[in-house]
Amino acid sequence: TGITLKDGDTGWFFGEDQARYLIACSFDQAEDLMITAANADVPIAMVGKVGGDQITFGNFNHDLADLTHTFRTSFAAAVA
């Protein structure tokens, strides 16, 4: 599954700890989550969306099929 993340610090997006989480959910679930977070005075932000056939991080954009192929074949090629 592809993903599009807004331009920003990728380490911050994926550096989960006890105070920060990256959550994937449907649009309706996101709406409910944002309302619940606002009511609890918990900061929340939408940083991107999941879907499609591209991986996009800010200005970086690449075809998911090419990246999948590289992931699945690189180790075998390195030790051959």
mmCIF file of all heavy atoms in Angstrom, residues 11-57:
data_model
loop_
_atom_site.group_PDB
_atom_site.id
_atom_site.type_symbol
_atom_site.label_atom_id
_atom_site.label_comp_id
_atom_site.label_asym_id
_atom_site.label_seq_id
_atom_site.Cartn_x
_atom_site.Cartn_y
_atom_site.Cartn_z
ATOM 1 N N GLY A 11 11.849 11.187 10.767
ATOM 2 C CA GLY A 11 12.149 10.597 12.066
ATOM 3 C C GLY A 11 11.115 10.964 13.106
ATOM 4 O O GLY A 11 10.748 10.153 13.952
ATOM 5 N N TRP A 12 10.612 12.185 13.037
ATOM 6 C CA TRP A 12 9.576 12.611 13.986
ATOM 7 C C TRP A 12 8.289 11.829 13.732
ATOM 8 O O TRP A 12 7.632 11.393 14.671
ATOM 9 C CB TRP A 12 9.318 14.107 13.860
ATOM 10 C CG TRP A 12 8.338 14.614 14.865
ATOM 11 C CD1 TRP A 12 8.611 15.037 16.125
ATOM 12 C CD2 TRP A 12 6.917 14.726 14.710
ATOM 13 N NE1 TRP A 12 7.450 15.408 16.765
ATOM 14 C CE2 TRP A 12 6.397 15.225 15.916
ATOM 15 C CE3 TRP A 12 6.047 14.452 13.675
ATOM 16 C CZ2 TRP A 12 5.036 15.470 16.107
ATOM 17 C CZ3 TRP A 12 4.694 14.688 13.867
ATOM 18 C CH2 TRP A 12 4.207 15.191 15.079
ATOM 19 N N PHE A 13 7.931 11.625 12.457
ATOM 20 C CA PHE A 13 6.709 10.878 12.132
ATOM 21 C C PHE A 13 6.752 9.453 12.670
ATOM 22 O O PHE A 13 5.765 8.928 13.143
ATOM 23 C CB PHE A 13 6.487 10.798 10.616
ATOM 24 C CG PHE A 13 6.107 12.102 9.967
ATOM 25 C CD1 PHE A 13 6.591 12.419 8.724
ATOM 26 C CD2 PHE A 13 5.255 13.006 10.588
ATOM 27 C CE1 PHE A 13 6.236 13.599 8.097
ATOM 28 C CE2 PHE A 13 4.901 14.190 9.980
ATOM 29 C CZ PHE A 13 5.396 14.500 8.722
ATOM 30 N N PHE A 14 7.906 8.793 12.574
ATOM 31 C CA PHE A 14 8.008 7.377 12.921
ATOM 32 C C PHE A 14 8.685 7.123 14.258
ATOM 33 O O PHE A 14 8.806 5.990 14.677
ATOM 34 C CB PHE A 14 8.725 6.608 11.806
ATOM 35 C CG PHE A 14 7.912 6.542 10.546
ATOM 36 C CD1 PHE A 14 8.176 7.401 9.495
ATOM 37 C CD2 PHE A 14 6.873 5.641 10.435
ATOM 38 C CE1 PHE A 14 7.416 7.345 8.337
ATOM 39 C CE2 PHE A 14 6.107 5.583 9.281
ATOM 40 C CZ PHE A 14 6.387 6.436 8.230
ATOM 41 N N GLY A 15 9.139 8.147 14.952
ATOM 42 C CA GLY A 15 9.799 7.990 16.243
ATOM 43 C C GLY A 15 8.779 7.865 17.358
ATOM 44 O O GLY A 15 8.615 8.777 18.161
ATOM 45 N N GLU A 16 8.084 6.749 17.386
ATOM 46 C CA GLU A 16 7.034 6.564 18.377
ATOM 47 C C GLU A 16 7.613 6.407 19.780
ATOM 48 O O GLU A 16 8.631 5.767 19.978
ATOM 49 C CB GLU A 16 6.189 5.335 18.029
ATOM 50 C CG GLU A 16 5.467 5.497 16.710
ATOM 51 C CD GLU A 16 4.674 4.269 16.313
ATOM 52 O OE1 GLU A 16 4.710 3.270 17.050
ATOM 53 O OE2 GLU A 16 4.027 4.317 15.259
ATOM 54 N N ASP A 17 6.966 7.015 20.732
ATOM 55 C CA ASP A 17 7.306 6.854 22.140
ATOM 56 C C ASP A 17 5.994 6.902 22.927
ATOM 57 O O ASP A 17 4.925 6.831 22.338
ATOM 58 C CB ASP A 17 8.312 7.918 22.595
ATOM 59 C CG ASP A 17 7.807 9.343 22.450
ATOM 60 O OD1 ASP A 17 6.582 9.568 22.465
ATOM 61 O OD2 ASP A 17 8.640 10.247 22.326
ATOM 62 N N GLN A 18 6.072 7.050 24.207
ATOM 63 C CA GLN A 18 4.849 7.021 25.015
ATOM 64 C C GLN A 18 3.988 8.264 24.839
ATOM 65 O O GLN A 18 2.874 8.317 25.335
ATOM 66 C CB GLN A 18 5.198 6.814 26.483
ATOM 67 C CG GLN A 18 5.756 5.432 26.745
ATOM 68 C CD GLN A 18 6.027 5.199 28.209
ATOM 69 O OE1 GLN A 18 5.932 6.083 29.033
ATOM 70 N NE2 GLN A 18 6.381 3.969 28.543
ATOM 71 N N ALA A 19 4.483 9.262 24.117
ATOM 72 C CA ALA A 19 3.709 10.479 23.957
ATOM 73 C C ALA A 19 3.329 10.766 22.502
ATOM 74 O O ALA A 19 2.670 11.743 22.223
ATOM 75 C CB ALA A 19 4.503 11.663 24.506
ATOM 76 N N ARG A 20 3.762 9.897 21.562
ATOM 77 C CA ARG A 20 3.502 10.189 20.153
ATOM 78 C C ARG A 20 3.272 8.885 19.395
ATOM 79 O O ARG A 20 4.049 7.947 19.514
ATOM 80 C CB ARG A 20 4.695 10.943 19.567
ATOM 81 C CG ARG A 20 4.496 11.376 18.152
ATOM 82 C CD ARG A 20 5.669 12.199 17.640
ATOM 83 N NE ARG A 20 6.893 11.432 17.695
ATOM 84 C CZ ARG A 20 8.046 11.889 18.183
ATOM 85 N NH1 ARG A 20 8.119 13.096 18.664
ATOM 86 N NH2 ARG A 20 9.108 11.134 18.174
ATOM 87 N N TYR A 21 2.213 8.854 18.584
ATOM 88 C CA TYR A 21 1.866 7.656 17.829
ATOM 89 C C TYR A 21 1.443 8.037 16.420
ATOM 90 O O TYR A 21 0.792 9.061 16.216
ATOM 91 C CB TYR A 21 0.714 6.900 18.508
ATOM 92 C CG TYR A 21 1.063 6.483 19.908
ATOM 93 C CD1 TYR A 21 0.743 7.288 20.992
ATOM 94 C CD2 TYR A 21 1.763 5.304 20.136
ATOM 95 C CE1 TYR A 21 1.090 6.918 22.287
ATOM 96 C CE2 TYR A 21 2.112 4.929 21.425
ATOM 97 C CZ TYR A 21 1.773 5.738 22.495
ATOM 98 O OH TYR A 21 2.127 5.367 23.760
ATOM 99 N N LEU A 22 1.792 7.200 15.452
ATOM 100 C CA LEU A 22 1.335 7.344 14.088
ATOM 101 C C LEU A 22 0.203 6.336 13.897
ATOM 102 O O LEU A 22 0.404 5.135 14.053
ATOM 103 C CB LEU A 22 2.491 7.067 13.108
ATOM 104 C CG LEU A 22 2.234 7.355 11.645
ATOM 105 C CD1 LEU A 22 1.913 8.834 11.438
ATOM 106 C CD2 LEU A 22 3.450 6.963 10.828
ATOM 107 N N ILE A 23 -0.988 6.825 13.585
ATOM 108 C CA ILE A 23 -2.180 5.976 13.495
ATOM 109 C C ILE A 23 -2.723 6.035 12.076
ATOM 110 O O ILE A 23 -2.876 7.114 11.504
ATOM 111 C CB ILE A 23 -3.269 6.476 14.472
ATOM 112 C CG1 ILE A 23 -2.748 6.451 15.904
ATOM 113 C CG2 ILE A 23 -4.535 5.659 14.321
ATOM 114 C CD1 ILE A 23 -3.669 7.154 16.895
ATOM 115 N N ALA A 24 -3.042 4.870 11.510
ATOM 116 C CA ALA A 24 -3.713 4.807 10.213
ATOM 117 C C ALA A 24 -5.159 4.389 10.446
ATOM 118 O O ALA A 24 -5.418 3.424 11.157
ATOM 119 C CB ALA A 24 -3.012 3.800 9.306
ATOM 120 N N CYS A 25 -6.099 5.137 9.855
ATOM 121 C CA CYS A 25 -7.518 4.817 10.021
ATOM 122 C C CYS A 25 -8.301 5.395 8.848
ATOM 123 O O CYS A 25 -7.776 6.180 8.064
ATOM 124 C CB CYS A 25 -8.033 5.358 11.352
ATOM 125 S SG CYS A 25 -7.847 7.121 11.589
ATOM 126 N N SER A 26 -9.571 5.016 8.760
ATOM 127 C CA SER A 26 -10.433 5.536 7.706
ATOM 128 C C SER A 26 -10.746 7.014 7.971
ATOM 129 O O SER A 26 -10.529 7.527 9.073
ATOM 130 C CB SER A 26 -11.732 4.735 7.662
ATOM 131 O OG SER A 26 -12.540 5.046 8.795
ATOM 132 N N PHE A 27 -11.293 7.675 6.957
ATOM 133 C CA PHE A 27 -11.655 9.082 7.107
ATOM 134 C C PHE A 27 -12.643 9.280 8.255
ATOM 135 O O PHE A 27 -12.478 10.184 9.076
ATOM 136 C CB PHE A 27 -12.238 9.620 5.799
ATOM 137 C CG PHE A 27 -12.617 11.063 5.875
ATOM 138 C CD1 PHE A 27 -11.660 12.051 5.712
ATOM 139 C CD2 PHE A 27 -13.927 11.441 6.135
ATOM 140 C CE1 PHE A 27 -11.994 13.387 5.797
ATOM 141 C CE2 PHE A 27 -14.276 12.774 6.219
ATOM 142 C CZ PHE A 27 -13.315 13.754 6.046
ATOM 143 N N ASP A 28 -13.679 8.436 8.316
ATOM 144 C CA ASP A 28 -14.673 8.556 9.384
ATOM 145 C C ASP A 28 -14.051 8.340 10.761
ATOM 146 O O ASP A 28 -14.370 9.055 11.715
ATOM 147 C CB ASP A 28 -15.820 7.568 9.182
ATOM 148 C CG ASP A 28 -16.678 7.922 7.972
ATOM 149 O OD1 ASP A 28 -16.658 9.096 7.546
ATOM 150 O OD2 ASP A 28 -17.351 7.007 7.459
ATOM 151 N N GLN A 29 -13.164 7.352 10.863
ATOM 152 C CA GLN A 29 -12.481 7.106 12.136
ATOM 153 C C GLN A 29 -11.581 8.285 12.493
ATOM 154 O O GLN A 29 -11.490 8.662 13.669
ATOM 155 C CB GLN A 29 -11.662 5.821 12.059
ATOM 156 C CG GLN A 29 -12.496 4.563 11.962
ATOM 157 C CD GLN A 29 -11.666 3.348 11.606
ATOM 158 O OE1 GLN A 29 -10.683 3.437 10.869
ATOM 159 N NE2 GLN A 29 -12.063 2.198 12.147
ATOM 160 N N ALA A 30 -10.932 8.875 11.497
ATOM 161 C CA ALA A 30 -10.061 10.028 11.759
ATOM 162 C C ALA A 30 -10.861 11.200 12.290
ATOM 163 O O ALA A 30 -10.430 11.889 13.223
ATOM 164 C CB ALA A 30 -9.322 10.423 10.478
ATOM 165 N N GLU A 31 -12.040 11.408 11.716
ATOM 166 C CA GLU A 31 -12.896 12.494 12.193
ATOM 167 C C GLU A 31 -13.280 12.281 13.652
ATOM 168 O O GLU A 31 -13.172 13.194 14.482
ATOM 169 C CB GLU A 31 -14.143 12.585 11.312
ATOM 170 C CG GLU A 31 -15.011 13.777 11.604
ATOM 171 C CD GLU A 31 -16.158 13.895 10.626
ATOM 172 O OE1 GLU A 31 -16.770 12.858 10.293
ATOM 173 O OE2 GLU A 31 -16.438 15.027 10.232
ATOM 174 N N ASP A 32 -13.704 11.074 13.990
ATOM 175 C CA ASP A 32 -14.055 10.755 15.383
ATOM 176 C C ASP A 32 -12.848 10.903 16.305
ATOM 177 O O ASP A 32 -12.960 11.419 17.424
ATOM 178 C CB ASP A 32 -14.605 9.336 15.498
ATOM 179 C CG ASP A 32 -15.980 9.178 14.863
ATOM 180 O OD1 ASP A 32 -16.660 10.216 14.640
ATOM 181 O OD2 ASP A 32 -16.369 8.023 14.596
ATOM 182 N N LEU A 33 -11.690 10.435 15.842
ATOM 183 C CA LEU A 33 -10.469 10.519 16.642
ATOM 184 C C LEU A 33 -10.088 11.971 16.911
ATOM 185 O O LEU A 33 -9.720 12.332 18.032
ATOM 186 C CB LEU A 33 -9.329 9.785 15.931
ATOM 187 C CG LEU A 33 -8.002 9.686 16.651
ATOM 188 C CD1 LEU A 33 -8.148 8.941 17.975
ATOM 189 C CD2 LEU A 33 -6.978 8.996 15.760
ATOM 190 N N MET A 34 -10.198 12.823 15.903
ATOM 191 C CA MET A 34 -9.847 14.238 16.085
ATOM 192 C C MET A 34 -10.798 14.931 17.050
ATOM 193 O O MET A 34 -10.371 15.743 17.868
ATOM 194 C CB MET A 34 -9.805 14.947 14.735
ATOM 195 C CG MET A 34 -8.641 14.516 13.898
ATOM 196 S SD MET A 34 -8.462 15.583 12.476
ATOM 197 C CE MET A 34 -6.895 15.000 11.858
ATOM 198 N N ILE A 35 -12.078 14.601 16.977
ATOM 199 C CA ILE A 35 -13.051 15.177 17.907
ATOM 200 C C ILE A 35 -12.754 14.720 19.336
ATOM 201 O O ILE A 35 -12.734 15.527 20.271
ATOM 202 C CB ILE A 35 -14.486 14.799 17.491
ATOM 203 C CG1 ILE A 35 -14.856 15.516 16.194
ATOM 204 C CG2 ILE A 35 -15.486 15.114 18.600
ATOM 205 C CD1 ILE A 35 -16.128 15.000 15.539
ATOM 206 N N THR A 36 -12.495 13.419 19.497
ATOM 207 C CA THR A 36 -12.195 12.872 20.823
ATOM 208 C C THR A 36 -10.920 13.485 21.388
ATOM 209 O O THR A 36 -10.865 13.859 22.566
ATOM 210 C CB THR A 36 -12.069 11.336 20.747
ATOM 211 O OG1 THR A 36 -13.295 10.804 20.256
ATOM 212 C CG2 THR A 36 -11.743 10.742 22.104
ATOM 213 N N ALA A 37 -9.898 13.618 20.548
ATOM 214 C CA ALA A 37 -8.632 14.216 21.005
ATOM 215 C C ALA A 37 -8.833 15.672 21.412
ATOM 216 O O ALA A 37 -8.326 16.110 22.448
ATOM 217 C CB ALA A 37 -7.573 14.103 19.911
ATOM 218 N N ALA A 38 -9.579 16.412 20.610
ATOM 219 C CA ALA A 38 -9.830 17.819 20.936
ATOM 220 C C ALA A 38 -10.583 17.947 22.257
ATOM 221 O O ALA A 38 -10.256 18.811 23.083
ATOM 222 C CB ALA A 38 -10.607 18.494 19.807
ATOM 223 N N ASN A 39 -11.563 17.079 22.478
ATOM 224 C CA ASN A 39 -12.332 17.114 23.728
ATOM 225 C C ASN A 39 -11.472 16.763 24.934
ATOM 226 O O ASN A 39 -11.758 17.198 26.052
ATOM 227 C CB ASN A 39 -13.533 16.171 23.652
ATOM 228 C CG ASN A 39 -14.607 16.675 22.716
ATOM 229 O OD1 ASN A 39 -14.687 17.867 22.423
ATOM 230 N ND2 ASN A 39 -15.427 15.766 22.218
ATOM 231 N N ALA A 40 -10.423 15.972 24.720
ATOM 232 C CA ALA A 40 -9.529 15.580 25.817
ATOM 233 C C ALA A 40 -8.299 16.483 25.894
ATOM 234 O O ALA A 40 -7.393 16.241 26.682
ATOM 235 C CB ALA A 40 -9.090 14.123 25.627
ATOM 236 N N ASP A 41 -8.267 17.533 25.067
ATOM 237 C CA ASP A 41 -7.133 18.472 25.021
ATOM 238 C C ASP A 41 -5.821 17.750 24.698
ATOM 239 O O ASP A 41 -4.777 18.028 25.283
ATOM 240 C CB ASP A 41 -7.027 19.255 26.332
ATOM 241 C CG ASP A 41 -6.223 20.534 26.162
ATOM 242 O OD1 ASP A 41 -6.178 21.078 25.032
ATOM 243 O OD2 ASP A 41 -5.624 20.985 27.156
ATOM 244 N N VAL A 42 -5.897 16.782 23.765
ATOM 245 C CA VAL A 42 -4.725 16.026 23.314
ATOM 246 C C VAL A 42 -4.368 16.527 21.914
ATOM 247 O O VAL A 42 -5.214 16.527 21.020
ATOM 248 C CB VAL A 42 -5.029 14.510 23.272
ATOM 249 C CG1 VAL A 42 -3.885 13.737 22.645
ATOM 250 C CG2 VAL A 42 -5.328 14.002 24.671
ATOM 251 N N PRO A 43 -3.110 16.965 21.711
ATOM 252 C CA PRO A 43 -2.718 17.439 20.381
ATOM 253 C C PRO A 43 -2.795 16.308 19.354
ATOM 254 O O PRO A 43 -2.428 15.174 19.644
ATOM 255 C CB PRO A 43 -1.271 17.888 20.554
ATOM 256 C CG PRO A 43 -0.984 17.869 22.007
ATOM 257 C CD PRO A 43 -2.028 17.054 22.677
ATOM 258 N N ILE A 44 -3.279 16.626 18.153
ATOM 259 C CA ILE A 44 -3.396 15.638 17.090
ATOM 260 C C ILE A 44 -3.242 16.367 15.755
ATOM 261 O O ILE A 44 -3.639 17.524 15.630
ATOM 262 C CB ILE A 44 -4.742 14.884 17.173
ATOM 263 C CG1 ILE A 44 -4.768 13.701 16.207
ATOM 264 C CG2 ILE A 44 -5.906 15.816 16.954
ATOM 265 C CD1 ILE A 44 -5.953 12.771 16.422
ATOM 266 N N ALA A 45 -2.639 15.693 14.791
ATOM 267 C CA ALA A 45 -2.473 16.287 13.469
ATOM 268 C C ALA A 45 -2.511 15.204 12.405
ATOM 269 O O ALA A 45 -2.026 14.091 12.622
ATOM 270 C CB ALA A 45 -1.129 17.013 13.393
ATOM 271 N N MET A 46 -3.112 15.528 11.266
ATOM 272 C CA MET A 46 -3.074 14.605 10.135
ATOM 273 C C MET A 46 -1.791 14.890 9.359
ATOM 274 O O MET A 46 -1.539 16.036 8.961
ATOM 275 C CB MET A 46 -4.282 14.791 9.226
ATOM 276 C CG MET A 46 -4.341 13.733 8.155
ATOM 277 S SD MET A 46 -5.923 13.596 7.310
ATOM 278 C CE MET A 46 -5.872 15.024 6.265
ATOM 279 N N VAL A 47 -0.973 13.863 9.173
ATOM 280 C CA VAL A 47 0.325 14.060 8.524
ATOM 281 C C VAL A 47 0.385 13.445 7.135
ATOM 282 O O VAL A 47 1.393 13.581 6.450
ATOM 283 C CB VAL A 47 1.482 13.516 9.399
ATOM 284 C CG1 VAL A 47 1.550 14.261 10.719
ATOM 285 C CG2 VAL A 47 1.349 12.024 9.614
ATOM 286 N N GLY A 48 -0.678 12.770 6.695
ATOM 287 C CA GLY A 48 -0.673 12.191 5.366
ATOM 288 C C GLY A 48 -1.830 11.247 5.159
ATOM 289 O O GLY A 48 -2.800 11.267 5.903
ATOM 290 N N LYS A 49 -1.688 10.412 4.117
ATOM 291 C CA LYS A 49 -2.739 9.438 3.832
ATOM 292 C C LYS A 49 -2.120 8.171 3.251
ATOM 293 O O LYS A 49 -1.031 8.197 2.673
ATOM 294 C CB LYS A 49 -3.786 10.004 2.886
ATOM 295 C CG LYS A 49 -3.252 10.369 1.525
ATOM 296 C CD LYS A 49 -4.346 10.953 0.662
ATOM 297 C CE LYS A 49 -3.798 11.287 -0.714
ATOM 298 N NZ LYS A 49 -4.827 11.754 -1.621
ATOM 299 N N VAL A 50 -2.821 7.053 3.426
ATOM 300 C CA VAL A 50 -2.385 5.744 2.948
ATOM 301 C C VAL A 50 -3.193 5.393 1.711
ATOM 302 O O VAL A 50 -4.382 5.661 1.649
ATOM 303 C CB VAL A 50 -2.587 4.673 4.051
ATOM 304 C CG1 VAL A 50 -2.256 3.297 3.534
ATOM 305 C CG2 VAL A 50 -1.756 5.008 5.273
ATOM 306 N N GLY A 51 -2.520 4.784 0.725
ATOM 307 C CA GLY A 51 -3.206 4.330 -0.480
ATOM 308 C C GLY A 51 -2.411 4.665 -1.724
ATOM 309 O O GLY A 51 -1.460 5.443 -1.690
ATOM 310 N N GLY A 52 -2.781 4.031 -2.813
ATOM 311 C CA GLY A 52 -2.137 4.304 -4.084
ATOM 312 C C GLY A 52 -0.931 3.420 -4.335
ATOM 313 O O GLY A 52 -0.678 2.457 -3.611
ATOM 314 N N ASP A 53 -0.159 3.767 -5.359
ATOM 315 C CA ASP A 53 0.989 2.953 -5.762
ATOM 316 C C ASP A 53 2.302 3.718 -5.700
ATOM 317 O O ASP A 53 3.269 3.377 -6.351
ATOM 318 C CB ASP A 53 0.771 2.380 -7.161
ATOM 319 C CG ASP A 53 0.589 3.457 -8.224
ATOM 320 O OD1 ASP A 53 0.613 4.660 -7.881
ATOM 321 O OD2 ASP A 53 0.433 3.096 -9.405
ATOM 322 N N GLN A 54 2.325 4.790 -4.905
ATOM 323 C CA GLN A 54 3.521 5.609 -4.735
ATOM 324 C C GLN A 54 3.863 5.742 -3.254
ATOM 325 O O GLN A 54 2.986 5.680 -2.402
ATOM 326 C CB GLN A 54 3.294 7.016 -5.313
ATOM 327 C CG GLN A 54 2.965 7.053 -6.790
ATOM 328 C CD GLN A 54 4.177 6.777 -7.636
ATOM 329 O OE1 GLN A 54 5.232 7.367 -7.443
ATOM 330 N NE2 GLN A 54 4.035 5.866 -8.581
ATOM 331 N N ILE A 55 5.157 5.945 -2.980
ATOM 332 C CA ILE A 55 5.626 6.318 -1.642
ATOM 333 C C ILE A 55 6.097 7.760 -1.762
ATOM 334 O O ILE A 55 6.990 8.056 -2.556
ATOM 335 C CB ILE A 55 6.799 5.416 -1.182
ATOM 336 C CG1 ILE A 55 6.393 3.951 -1.157
ATOM 337 C CG2 ILE A 55 7.347 5.883 0.161
ATOM 338 C CD1 ILE A 55 5.394 3.582 -0.092
ATOM 339 N N THR A 56 5.481 8.644 -1.003
ATOM 340 C CA THR A 56 5.822 10.063 -1.075
ATOM 341 C C THR A 56 6.089 10.590 0.323
ATOM 342 O O THR A 56 5.225 10.507 1.199
ATOM 343 C CB THR A 56 4.681 10.866 -1.726
ATOM 344 O OG1 THR A 56 4.393 10.308 -3.005
ATOM 345 C CG2 THR A 56 5.044 12.326 -1.865
ATOM 346 N N PHE A 57 7.308 11.115 0.526
ATOM 347 C CA PHE A 57 7.701 11.791 1.758
ATOM 348 C C PHE A 57 8.165 13.173 1.348
ATOM 349 O O PHE A 57 9.272 13.333 0.842
ATOM 350 C CB PHE A 57 8.855 11.077 2.471
ATOM 351 C CG PHE A 57 8.504 9.729 3.038
ATOM 352 C CD1 PHE A 57 8.878 8.569 2.396
ATOM 353 C CD2 PHE A 57 7.803 9.632 4.221
ATOM 354 C CE1 PHE A 57 8.573 7.332 2.919
ATOM 355 C CE2 PHE A 57 7.477 8.393 4.754
ATOM 356 C CZ PHE A 57 7.865 7.241 4.099
#
